[in-house]
Amino acid sequence: MTQPVPGPCDFHSHLVPGVDDGARDLEDAMEGIGRMTEAGFRRILTTPHLNASVGREPGGFTPRFEEVRGAFETLRTEVAARWPEVQLAQGFEVMLDIPDVDLNDEGLRLAGTRFMLVEWPRLQVPPGTHRVIQRLVSSGIRPVIAHPERYGGMEHTRSIAREWRDMGALLQVNYGSVCGRYGKSAKLVAGRLFREGLVSYLASDFHGRPNLNLYYQGVRDFFEEKDAMESFLTLTETNPRRLMDDEEPLPVGLLAETPGMMGRLRRIIGTE
């Protein structure tokens, strides 16, 4: 039986070189993976962008699959030589830019699992999202909605994320959102989603550029301050590992509105 790989796992990043707005070349990708290994990551599932609309025609996904596969194999060979302990896999972040395309091709899922990482177009929530989720779920796909905290207007729409969850979607928040990378609104919405227990995963959405921050340590500090390390470990280790093993996520404890007693005590005695 394969032993679980310890440490944080990540299933949302853009590290395949030269195929999207992430790592520009192999050097960028290797630099980014190097920083992830320094932070403790040993399982990385990277997810280039793919627009659902390219599948309108039969075989429409094939050219994109082939483009990404070639670049990914080059990356995997280099990673295996430099960091043999790292398990590297590949999926896609599928932009649902049209509502009715057939997405049953297993190549769209996350490394052969039932899970599919999806996003809404132009960081807006289009009408009819419930029908799209229902169609995906009914076809056996478990949609994971990427960075729901970043979509326009989410701070004013308190119920839609819960409705997505109730319909069978899962929610993944970005590390950077917790640290303010995407602005005040995304940070506030992320906090609300944590407090309501709607988030199953935290992931990097790391675009593999040397000037970009991974934000992992900042998020760890945030959860530690709130005495919520059990939730942090579930969001960053247990549930991402379960996803990669094609298993359902475990429930995540609710995040308190304010730091807990131990967090306040540490600040008072100056041990933080």
Side-chain angles (χ1 to χ4, degrees):
M1 182 177 177
T2 303
Q3 293 298 313
V5 177
C9 305
D10 193 70
F11 65 85
H12 182 183
S13 65
H14 300 272
L15 295 166
V16 179
V19 300
D20 63 6
D21 61 343
R24 295 165 294 191
D25 50 32
L26 185 59
E27 182 179 359
D28 272 0
M30 293 294 284
E31 191 275 342
I33 290 175
R35 279 196 278 152
M36 294 185 78
T37 64
E38 290 174 2
F41 290 86
R42 296 296 182 268
R43 292 186 75 176
I44 302 169
L45 198 167
T46 188
T47 49
H49 290 293
L50 182 148
N51 291 347
S53 57
V54 306
R56 283 178 293 195
E57 301 297 328
F61 293 123
T62 301
R64 181 61 171 160
F65 287 170
E66 292 177 350
E67 174 193 23
V68 169
R69 186 180 300 117
F72 175 73
E73 289 303 327
T74 298
L75 176 63
R76 180 156 61 179
T77 298
E78 293 294 322
V79 169
R82 189 175 305 184
W83 300 291
E85 72 279 13
V86 172
Q87 297 179 10
L88 186 66
Q90 184 251 308
F92 286 97
E93 181 181 14
V94 180
M95 179 180 287
L96 301 173
D97 55 342
I98 59 174
D100 55 357
V101 68
D102 182 359
L103 297 176
N104 285 314
D105 193 311
E106 290 189 3
L108 298 170
R109 303 188 187 190
L110 295 173
T113 69
R114 82 195 79 169
F115 299 95
M116 182 183 294
L117 184 66
V118 300
E119 64 174 337
W120 308 118
R122 296 177 294 280
L123 289 178
Q124 299 293 323
V125 179
T129 59
H130 303 80
R131 291 192 298 274
V132 176
I133 291 171
Q134 184 178 43
R135 183 169 54 81
L136 291 173
V137 171
S138 66
S139 66
I141 296 168
R142 194 77 152 106
V144 180
I145 299 179
H147 44 66
E149 74 283 2
R150 294 183 60 198
Y151 297 110
M154 287 295 287
E155 68 273 25
H156 305 301
T157 309
R158 297 188 60 84
S159 62
I160 192 165
R162 184 172 295 279
E163 291 170 3
W164 291 339
R165 276 290 306 268
D166 290 345
M167 296 186 69
L170 299 164
L171 305 186
Q172 172 260 301
V173 163
N174 282 5
Y175 291 148
S177 297
V178 178
C179 298
R181 163 70 175 82
Y182 306 103
K184 181 178 179 180
S185 176
K187 184 173 182 177
L188 290 173
V189 173
R192 190 190 80 204
L193 296 175
F194 289 132
R195 290 192 298 275
E196 295 182 5
L198 297 177
V199 183
S200 293
Y201 312 100
L202 272 161
S204 70
D205 197 2
F206 187 36
H207 276 58
R209 303 287 184 96
N211 63 310
L212 297 179
N213 194 324
L214 185 60
Y215 293 105
Y216 173 76
Q217 187 59 50
V219 175
R220 185 182 182 92
D221 293 344
F222 171 85
F223 277 82
E224 189 169 25
E225 180 179 301
K226 290 184 175 291
D227 296 322
M229 287 304 293
E230 183 176 351
S231 294
F232 173 76
L233 294 174
T234 304
L235 289 162
T236 61
E237 298 189 17
T238 304
N239 281 351
R241 186 180 300 121
R242 290 177 66 87
L243 179 148
M244 295 180 193
D245 292 336
D246 205 16
E247 298 175 354
E248 290 293 310
L250 299 181
V252 179
L254 303 183
L255 198 65
E257 181 80 34
T258 57
M261 181 182 300
M262 289 305 297
R264 292 194 296 271
L265 179 60
R266 283 196 296 269
R267 280 212 296 271
I268 291 170
I269 65 178
T271 59
E272 290 191 316

